[in-house]
Amino acid sequence: MNKISVKQLTKSYQGKQILKKISFDVYAGNILALLGQSGGGKSTLLRCLCHLETPDSGNIELHGKKVGMVFQQLHLWKHMTVLENLITAPIHVLNYTKKSAIEKAKALLAQLKIADKMQDLPSQLSGGEQQRVAIARTLMMKPEILLFDEPTSALDSERTETVSDIIQSLAKSEIMIIVATHDQNFAKKIATRTLFLENGTLREAQ
């Protein structure tokens, strides 16, 4: 089934309840925006969805889908070129040949309009370019569910527009997308559904 189902999810840290019986569904081709202030639980929810955190209770049904996450800090390997950042994991984890990994990486970088940055180090890139490299690196792992944690937090309006276009384009390929953001205008532009996370509980955004 092409959907994610989250039911009655709870999570606590040091006795403080961060997520309180969270429930929602996301379908293929949809973009769910999670709005809320910093510290409100958005990142914790994403980390539960990609198995970096274990919920206290509740259920996450991914229906066998592979999850990829673009972190707010990006986590690009500083000592590797853009191309090396993209091909290393697919070669070692998905058993790509080096040739096929390079071909896929080149295609993704061209799609994201940074093909000319292939041999650059992350330190040579702008913030927006680093963001696109992080997206490309995640797509190399063939995710069916894609999570974004504050993808526009360090970007100006022009680069925010570029990321918006990329996310909307990815949704057309039937990837399920969840975006955690504090930017209401960005959420309004990209999302098919918007939820507001406050004090550990979800409600539909107005």
Side-chain angles (χ1 to χ4, degrees):
M1 186 181 297
N2 288 327
K3 76 169 185 175
I4 308 165
S5 293
V6 176
K7 299 176 181 177
Q8 300 292 297
L9 195 73
T10 64
K11 177 67 179 177
S12 299
Y13 287 117
Q14 299 178 340
K16 180 181 179 182
Q17 198 167 24
I18 307 299
L19 302 175
K20 304 173 183 177
K21 296 185 177 181
I22 299 294
S23 297
F24 63 89
D25 295 327
V26 184
Y27 294 87
N30 283 4
I31 302 172
L32 172 66
L34 292 173
L35 279 171
Q37 299 301 315
S38 296
K42 303 188 304 299
S43 296
T44 298
L45 178 53
L46 293 188
R47 290 174 68 86
C48 288
L49 289 171
C50 65
H51 308 297
L52 292 176
E53 299 284 355
T54 302
D56 299 334
S57 62
N59 191 34
I60 300 173
E61 298 176 9
L62 302 177
H63 304 285
K65 303 298 184 185
K66 291 191 292 185
V67 183
M69 183 163 173
V70 181
F71 295 89
Q72 184 175 0
Q73 289 79 19
L74 303 182
H75 297 304
L76 297 176
W77 291 307
K78 296 178 181 180
H79 64 291
M80 292 185 179
T81 65
V82 166
L83 181 62
E84 290 168 337
N85 264 279
L86 265 62
I87 68 173
T88 299
I91 289 172
H92 290 92
V93 178
L94 300 182
N95 296 317
Y96 273 64
T97 64
K98 186 174 182 179
K99 180 180 179 181
S100 63
I102 290 173
E103 287 174 354
K104 182 172 178 63
K106 285 181 176 179
L108 282 172
L109 292 172
Q111 180 185 343
L112 297 174
K113 300 180 181 179
I114 47 172
D116 59 328
K117 304 297 181 181
M118 192 164 48
Q119 299 302 330
D120 287 1
L121 293 171
S123 60
Q124 296 172 287
L125 306 177
S126 69
E129 290 165 346
Q130 290 182 28
Q131 181 72 263
R132 280 180 275 172
V133 172
I135 293 170
R137 187 176 66 175
T138 303
L139 292 175
M140 288 289 293
M141 302 303 288
K142 300 181 178 179
E144 296 157 289
I145 299 166
L146 195 51
L147 312 176
F148 289 87
D149 191 6
E150 296 286 1
T152 63
S153 61
L155 303 181
D156 59 26
S157 58
E158 182 178 349
R159 294 189 176 100
T160 294
E161 188 75 20
T162 298
V163 171
S164 171
D165 291 342
I166 290 169
I167 291 175
Q168 289 175 304
S169 175
L170 291 171
K172 292 176 183 177
S173 65
E174 293 298 289
I175 293 177
M176 289 171 267
I177 297 175
I178 300 177
V179 181
T181 181
H182 65 275
D183 187 336
Q184 295 191 38
N185 291 329
F186 177 67
K188 186 182 296 185
K189 180 175 177 59
I190 64 166
T192 51
R193 184 185 183 194
T194 303
L195 297 174
F196 195 85
L197 184 58
E198 184 177 27
N199 296 323
T201 61
L202 276 181
R203 62 176 173 81
E204 294 282 348
Q206 302 299 314

